Every structure is written in structure tokens, then in C-alpha cells.
Amino acid sequence: MINQGLVEVRFIPTSEQTADVFTKATSIGQFNYLKNKLVVVSQPTPNLREPVKNNDSDHT
């Protein structure tokens, strides 16, 4: 596949290895940099004091 030009192999420096965020202890700065490359965002936590809304239209 490489000889046919279907796959390109490129060098990626250690500082750009996004898998390191899952496999190695990194500094907080490096962790945040790699996390941002993965486009990981925090989801808001639901408020546990509010009642759960039922979105099922079959049950009224």
C-alpha cells in the first residue's frame, strides 16, 4: 500500500504524539495541548436537584 501511494508514512515528533495523553504521565501543559488536539470538550453535568424530564411522547 505504501509503494502504491495509498498510505503515507510520516515522522511525528514525541511532543505531537496524541496517544501519549492516554498512555504516559505528561505535564499538565502537555496534557492540555494533546487533549486540545483531540478536540475533547467537557460536557455539562446535569443538575441532580431538578426532576428528570421524560421525553417519551408515548407516555403522557
Side-chain angles (χ1 to χ4, degrees):
M1 293 179 85
I2 294 172
N3 291 338
Q4 297 169 340
L6 299 175
V7 176
E8 179 183 347
V9 179
R10 293 188 294 158
F11 173 78
I12 299 182
T14 302
S15 61
E16 299 292 321
Q17 294 287 346
T18 52
D20 286 357
V21 78
F22 300 112
T23 61
K24 296 184 177 143
T26 60
S27 68
I28 191 70
Q30 183 68 6
F31 174 83
N32 286 328
Y33 173 74
L34 295 172
K35 180 187 73 157
N36 290 336
K37 284 182 69 173
L38 294 171
V39 192
V40 175
V41 295
S42 298
Q43 294 294 319
T45 315
N47 185 344
L48 298 178
R49 296 182 188 265
E50 294 178 10
V52 176
K53 296 177 183 174
N54 186 353
N55 292 330
D56 188 357
S57 59
D58 294 335
H59 298 96
T60 53

